Amino acid sequence: MSTSVISAREGEVLALLGEHLSNAEISARLFISVRTVESHVSALLRKLEVPDRRALARRAAELARAERPRPAPVLPVPLTAFVGRVRERAELAAAVRSCRQVTAVGPGGVGKTRLALAVAAETAGDFADGVWFVDLAPVVDPGRVGAAVAAAVGVGEQPGRGVDEAVLAALADRRALLVLDNCEQIRDGVAPFLERLLTACPRLRVLATSRARMTVPFERVFPVPPLSWADGDESEAVTLFTERAAAVGPPPDPAARERIAGLCERLGGMALAIELAAARWPTLGPDGLTAGLSDQLRILAGGPRADDRHRSVRAALDWSHDLLEPRERALLRRVSVFATAFTADAAAEVAAFAPLDRAAVADGLGRLADQSLLTAIPAATGTRYQALETIRQYGTERLADAGESADVRARHLAWCLAGATALLAAEDGDAGRRPRFDALAEDVRAALARSADRPEQRADAHRLALAMGGLTFAHHLLGEAQQCYEQAAALAGDAAGAGALREAAAVAGCRRLGDDMLRLHRGAAEAARRAGDLVGASRDLATAATVAYRFSSEFTRVPTAAEARAMLGTARELSGEGHGDEDGDGHGGGRGKDHGRGDGARESRGDGAGEDHGHGHRDHEGRGDGDGDSHGDRDDGQGEAPGPGPSYGHGSGPGDPATGAALALAEAAVLADAFGAVQGDTDNTAHETVARAERAVELARRAGDPVAESAALDALSGALTWAGDSFGAAAAARRRIAVLEPVPHTPAATHERMDALAMAAGTALGVGDLPRARRWGGQLAAHPLFAEVGHHATSWLLIADAFAGRADDVLTGSAGFLDAWRRSGRQRSFSLGPAAASVAMVHGLRGDHDARTAWLDIVGRAGTESEHRHGYGAVFDAMVLLHHGDPERALERVAPEPDRVWKWVSWIWLHWYVALRAEASVLAGHPDARDRVAAARTTVAGNPVATAQLDRAGALLDGDPARQLAAAAAFEAAGCPYQSARTLLLAGPAHREDGRRALARLGLTDG
């Protein structure tokens, strides 16, 4: 039956069936009920006359291929035409279509790459999601295979997961072809990566080229033979020779084709050898070529190489090399040090020493290109040169034979260091910075790999690794940045190594890897101690102890309280301060003393937005929300935070201010549990926790370290949360933003800034500051480190927009949130559950109950049941029920006294909860309504949205329309147009139409 009878909605369902989604997933994607999906599936089976769901998926794929534009293959464009290989092309194409992974195997120079490119171009139409080419020749580290694929595919790294996992997630549902070229030198890295890739990505095909098979499951080995010369002067080999010869001079006379066939036979049909010989045809002719190759083959006859195919390439290369002038030979071997394409200036820096000067280098590059030993690549920025991998390896051997390896590699290392240093100093906004980095990066990686075991190059290699760490971090390659800093530490002495390890720890923080943060800070402490820097070692151990508590939810193995206390004790000893008050008098308590204590399984990894520390509130399963962590003393005229309080064990701290600040923060974390950590003690008092945190803030300020001050303010905000001071927490979050504003974007500052933005958005929501919450949520969403984790990046922005009632913005953002969440593997975290619930609420306010049900199903998988039942879920559900005129059920949803559910509603949700509870009591006619309104005023005093809501509730109690209209204006001024519009609906018939129009402007409907 014609697809014209299919409705638009059925077409959407059919397309998602083609993506192999379940009915529940389709309902969530389209915001319709599962029952509605089932109805559409039944209709499609009938209309398309297919037997089952699998057939529907196949039909959807056929329609998609027919209708949507295909992405252009991302393949390099060869500079010369492909010749011959008719049979091999057909057979390899058939293998690619029928097998998950095909490896084109053959010796260097046989033509594997050109054949693979031709087949990839031919079969591109079979791969609806694209074709990508990855050249692994420049990759020297087997661990960077995934990174090379990510760069080619355009996948960025995600906080909390490695780049390999990001690639697997991005390609999981793609019907695509991945071409991996030159796999042989890093087979140990390629094989396991391919096994994981093919297992995780069932619709992906891989075409690899290698000198040896990959030995992975699914592999089909395709031996690439030499070009045929059996047909004499009509053979593929002769055709290739004549075309390449004609490209550099007059075409060979047809009478010479028989002699050319003999030459091709001598060369074993090896494509590279034929091209090299053809480049000499205009100057040597058939006699010269025959004589040269005959001599060379006689020389090689007694050699150890048993493979005739390899011998023919070696013969051609040896012969071509011997025909070069001495200076051209020197240039060829010296430029072999470059891992990828290079400029004439770069070649001069590395190769211009006796017998070459800069002019000879520039001239020699052209001569080598003329003889097919280099490829000239024109570009907008100037010509670059590159050698085929076989020729580059040959040049490397010649470099060693000439005894120049050490000198040339040292010059290459120096060139890389100069380039990396200059690039690191370039302005962030420099438009050419990324292309320059991409052009330099592989050479830097190669230089670092070569210099690691050369003592005379360790100093330069150390500096280069540091520079590369900064560059890779700036370009959001966080895994490599951490690796570079660790490499820099290994290349340095202890003192310099400690600094590099601190940088590595900060990058690990951006990646949300608690175990690595702890390991690296402890490693920095040990390096500092070996260097005699006991003060630095003390500071590092204090920081390690803080990390154990502050980021407790980011560990795969949560450090015990005893481990953290031991690190703190050693830090005190190294600082010269002794143990002091190791146990303290209690900490993070008051109302919050068992805040977050869990009795079930604990989540060990945060949510990627910087907020899931393990401080803030956790549900009874021990999942850290971390969003109560941006706190501090007030700076906005809303009151004063507690004073510095008593000094616990240190007086004014050690002589070094930075160490004193680090120790004070560790005490606030470990002894006072300011962050509400997984392993924290429960017998604390809020007052003493605040005092310790205040002291940490003051010492960090004295030390002049904005990053340390931000971390201390984070501790103070946790303490103020336990003390029930939401406004103090919000003020501290604002201070963190201000303190970090002028700080350069180092790894440590970036880690703090990511966290501070999340905390600022969350705490602003908690006190009804919707404009600021939206601003900071937007900044977090735009942060480049979150480009690959849109669900985390947009969580707070979705919640802020939902509270404001910006339905269109929420629905637009929810599509990206849902897609990113699915691609992430459907993670759980504190901020993801409320974000999904806020989308569900907006659908509820719109009256789309099918979509709301679908999103509530996502809430159950993205968040935790207890938090939704007692905390944010109660808030969002009550808002929907009140909107639809059902105050009795709304009151049931927020029936518990706030003190009974403070564990789930404290910090962000408390003010919203008590205000909604009071209003629902008024609208439901509860006998305690007036008392509840009065009690709520004390809690929310200073919150403009909650105060306006209570003013409206009081006006409804008193039957005062004027006060209701004043509340509407207050909501509008507070950036909450939804509640303003709803106030007009409640104000009576005279204002109801205005309220409906206001809701319609927001994309909402009258309940």
Side-chain angles (χ1 to χ4, degrees):
M1 182 175 292
S2 169
T3 58
S4 62
V5 302
I6 296 176
S7 70
R9 177 63 85 184
E10 288 169 347
E12 292 174 332
V13 171
L14 181 61
L16 295 178
L17 286 170
E19 296 181 22
H20 303 283
L21 298 187
S22 67
N23 285 354
E25 289 172 324
I26 294 172
S27 73
R29 181 77 67 90
L30 298 180
F31 314 121
I32 58 179
S33 69
V34 174
R35 182 170 296 178
T36 301
V37 175
E38 292 171 349
S39 174
H40 287 317
V41 170
S42 297
L44 287 167
L45 289 170
R46 183 180 68 257
K47 291 179 179 182
L48 295 178
E49 300 176 348
V50 294
D52 53 29
R53 188 185 186 92
R54 182 174 298 178
L56 279 178
R58 287 196 297 269
R59 179 66 62 86
E62 293 168 0
L63 291 173
R65 283 196 293 270
E67 295 174 3
R68 68 183 175 188
R70 297 181 181 279
V74 185
L75 299 171
V77 180
L79 298 178
T80 55
F82 186 78
V83 175
R85 300 283 195 188
V86 175
R87 179 179 59 81
E88 291 91 338
R89 288 166 70 173
E91 292 178 355
L92 183 55
V96 167
R97 291 185 177 103
S98 62
C99 301
R100 294 291 314 284
Q101 196 260 316
V102 181
T103 305
V105 175
V110 76
K112 301 183 296 293
T113 299
R114 292 298 301 270
L115 177 61
L117 285 173
V119 169
E122 286 180 11
T123 59
D126 296 329
F127 300 98
D129 296 315
V131 177
W132 293 284
F133 179 85
V134 186
D135 184 6
L136 296 176
V139 180
V140 294
D141 179 0
R144 286 196 51 76
V145 174
V149 174
V153 173
V155 174
E157 189 170 341
Q158 300 179 6
R161 65 179 0 182
V163 69
D164 287 12
E165 286 72 23
V167 170
L168 267 56
L171 299 181
D173 297 323
R174 301 284 188 93
R175 180 171 176 77
L177 174 65
L178 188 65
V179 182
L180 299 181
D181 193 32
N182 292 306
C183 297
E184 58 275 346
Q185 82 279 9
I186 49 169
R187 275 198 310 154
D188 290 345
V190 175
F193 176 78
L194 280 183
E195 186 164 356
R196 293 176 60 203
L197 183 71
L198 292 167
T199 301
C201 308
R203 305 172 73 195
L204 186 73
R205 301 293 172 94
V206 174
L207 172 57
T209 74
S210 177
R211 298 185 187 184
R213 60 170 300 184
M214 296 291 102
T215 62
V216 294
F218 316 112
E219 182 180 35
R220 159 82 179 274
V221 176
F222 184 89
V224 179
L227 288 169
S228 170
W229 63 87
D231 294 331
D233 59 2
E234 299 299 324
S235 66
E236 293 179 337
V238 172
T239 301
L240 175 64
F241 188 103
T242 55
E243 288 202 8
R244 297 299 187 259
V248 294
D253 188 278
R257 290 179 68 93
E258 187 173 341
R259 298 190 65 183
I260 293 173
L263 288 171
C264 292
E265 183 176 2
R266 286 176 176 271
L267 294 171
M270 300 298 284
L272 174 59
I274 290 170
E275 294 200 11
L276 291 172
R280 290 289 185 173
W281 176 269
T283 55
L284 296 179
D287 293 335
L289 287 173
T290 301
L293 286 174
S294 297
D295 290 344
Q296 201 60 253
L297 290 172
R298 280 198 299 272
I299 293 171
L300 294 171
R305 289 175 292 277
D307 189 328
D308 286 340
R309 296 176 184 174
H310 277 107
R311 187 172 68 178
S312 64
V313 174
R314 171 73 63 170
L317 288 171
D318 283 341
W319 166 75
S320 294
H321 177 267
D322 290 346
L323 291 175
L324 297 175
E325 296 292 332
R327 292 194 301 178
E328 292 170 348
R329 296 177 194 171
L331 181 58
L332 180 64
R333 64 178 179 260
R334 291 173 185 179
V335 297
S336 69
V337 77
F338 288 102
T340 188
F342 54 89
T343 64
D345 286 341
E349 291 294 327
V350 171
F353 61 96
L356 299 174
D357 56 20
R358 298 184 72 91
V361 168
D363 179 62
L365 292 173
R367 292 177 179 274
L368 293 175
D370 288 342
Q371 297 167 63
S372 297
L373 292 167
L374 291 179
T375 300
I377 307 170
T381 55
T383 301
R384 304 180 76 86
Y385 298 87
Q386 186 169 21
L388 291 176
E389 180 62 13
T390 301
I391 295 175
R392 194 182 72 80
Q393 292 174 6
Y394 178 86
T396 300
E397 294 177 7
R398 286 292 186 171
L399 191 67
D401 292 342
E404 293 181 343
S405 293
D407 193 6
V408 171
R409 288 177 175 178
R411 294 170 72 92
H412 180 256
L413 176 64
W415 172 77
C416 288
L417 179 57
T421 303
L423 195 52
L424 195 60
E427 294 293 330
D428 287 344
D430 183 351
R433 186 175 180 181
R434 181 67 199 224
R436 288 161 59 198
F437 169 77
D438 291 340
L440 180 68
E442 289 298 348
D443 273 293
V444 170
R445 292 166 183 141
L448 285 172
R450 287 193 294 252
S451 59
D453 58 351
R454 301 193 69 84
E456 72 279 7
Q457 295 180 357
R458 288 178 71 89
D460 279 351
H462 164 71
R463 289 191 289 272
L464 181 57
L466 282 178
M468 189 61 168
L471 287 172
T472 49
F473 181 80
H475 290 89
H476 314 132
L477 302 173
L478 302 191
E480 186 175 3
Q482 180 180 330
Q483 180 183 4
C484 287
Y485 283 126
E486 293 195 53
Q487 185 177 13
L491 289 165
D494 288 329
L501 289 172
R502 292 171 194 133
E503 295 290 336
V507 178
C510 294
R511 301 177 69 201
R512 305 189 59 75
L513 301 179
D515 304 82
D516 277 5
M517 276 193 285
L518 184 63
R519 170 180 62 82
L520 292 163
H521 279 302
R522 296 181 77 167
E526 182 58 31
R529 178 155 39 185
R530 288 196 303 265
D533 180 10
L534 299 186
V535 172
S538 169
R539 194 164 56 245
D540 288 320
L541 277 179
T543 302
T546 299
V547 163
Y549 268 60
R550 186 184 180 195
F551 303 106
S552 60
S553 69
E554 296 180 11
F555 284 82
T556 54
R557 187 193 72 82
V558 179
T560 66
E563 288 176 292
R565 286 174 179 262
M567 287 186 284
L568 177 56
T570 305
R572 286 167 160 174
E573 292 175 357
L574 291 171
S575 74
E577 291 296 313
H579 284 284
D581 174 25
E582 183 168 316
D583 296 326
D585 297 325
H587 13 288
R591 292 177 62 228
K593 69 181 182 179
D594 13 43
H595 192 133
R597 299 296 171 254
D599 56 286
R602 290 168 172 160
E603 181 177 77
S604 63
R605 192 61 56 83
D607 70 1
E611 77 276 30
D612 203 2
H613 287 349
H615 49 290
H617 93 263
R618 288 189 300 275
D619 65 15
H620 70 283
E621 295 176 347
R623 180 166 288 105
D625 72 10
D627 288 274
D629 68 6
S630 283
H631 330 290
D633 51 347
R634 300 177 179 177
D635 62 349
D636 61 353
Q638 294 185 20
E640 295 297 327
S647 176
Y648 296 97
H650 287 292
S652 60
D656 175 58
T659 302
L663 287 167
L665 181 57
E667 290 169 355
V670 177
L671 303 183
D673 192 20
F675 299 112
V678 170
Q679 69 274 53
D681 197 350
T682 61
D683 298 326
N684 311 312
T685 64
H687 174 72
E688 289 165 354
T689 304
V690 169
R692 286 188 184 271
E694 274 286 346
R695 178 171 173 270
V697 172
E698 178 59 28
L699 290 177
R701 185 185 296 116
R702 291 181 195 172
D705 185 344
V707 173
E709 186 176 351
S710 173
L713 285 168
D714 194 11
L716 181 58
S717 81
L720 291 171
T721 296
W722 310 151
D725 187 355
S726 298
F727 293 101
R734 291 193 293 276
R735 279 186 54 189
R736 291 182 71 189
I737 297 290
V739 162
L740 293 169
E741 182 63 30
V743 181
H745 291 255
T746 63
T750 298
H751 185 206
E752 278 296 322
R753 189 172 281 109
M754 290 163 61
D755 181 76
L757 285 171
M759 297 310 98
T763 53
L765 282 170
V767 296
D769 191 348
L770 295 183
R772 279 174 166 164
R774 193 167 195 270
R775 183 172 81 231
W776 287 319
Q779 290 178 18
L780 189 69
H783 199 293
L785 287 183
F786 289 154
E788 301 294 326
V789 283
H791 51 313
H792 292 307
T794 59
S795 292
W796 293 113
L797 186 58
L798 284 173
I799 298 169
D801 280 342
F803 274 130
R806 303 177 190 278
D808 291 340
D809 290 335
V810 171
L811 297 185
T812 298
S814 68
F817 172 94
L818 185 58
D819 182 61
W821 176 70
R822 284 173 170 152
R823 285 189 286 107
S824 75
R826 294 172 169 77
Q827 297 170 327
R828 288 181 183 268
S829 86
F830 172 77
S831 67
L832 297 181
S838 71
V839 179
M841 181 189 77
V842 167
H843 283 297
L845 298 180
R846 288 167 53 86
D848 190 342
H849 299 293
D850 284 347
R852 181 168 184 259
T853 299
W855 273 92
L856 287 175
D857 178 65
I858 296 168
V859 173
R861 289 178 286 164
T864 59
E865 192 276 335
S866 56
E867 284 178 311
H868 183 256
R869 185 172 70 251
H870 300 301
Y872 62 82
V875 170
F876 291 135
D877 289 350
M879 289 181 67
V880 172
L881 291 166
L882 288 175
H883 182 83
H884 290 287
D886 194 348
E888 289 79 11
R889 287 182 61 202
L891 186 56
E892 289 176 9
R893 198 67 183 86
V894 290
E897 294 284 344
D899 282 347
R900 287 179 52 202
V901 292
W902 67 266
K903 179 177 180 179
W904 296 280
V905 302
S906 65
W907 187 47
I908 289 180
W909 316 114
L910 177 62
H911 290 187
W912 298 94
Y913 185 92
V914 298
L916 282 164
R917 186 170 184 267
E919 183 177 39
S921 298
V922 170
L923 293 172
H926 193 280
D928 296 334
R930 194 172 296 277
D931 291 340
R932 289 181 176 181
V933 170
R937 286 189 183 280
T938 302
T939 301
V940 308
N943 181 323
V945 177
T947 298
Q949 192 165 7
L950 294 175
D951 288 345
R952 181 175 67 195
L956 288 169
L957 263 178
D958 297 337
D960 188 342
R963 283 167 55 201
Q964 291 184 50
L965 295 178
F971 280 125
E972 197 69 43
C976 192
Y978 163 67
Q979 292 292 356
S980 178
R982 184 166 174 271
T983 304
L984 295 176
L985 293 177
L986 293 171
H991 304 283
R992 189 163 295 143
E993 190 57 36
D994 289 340
R996 287 171 177 161
R997 283 196 295 268
L999 286 176
R1001 287 194 295 271
L1002 293 171
L1004 301 174
T1005 60
D1006 180 3

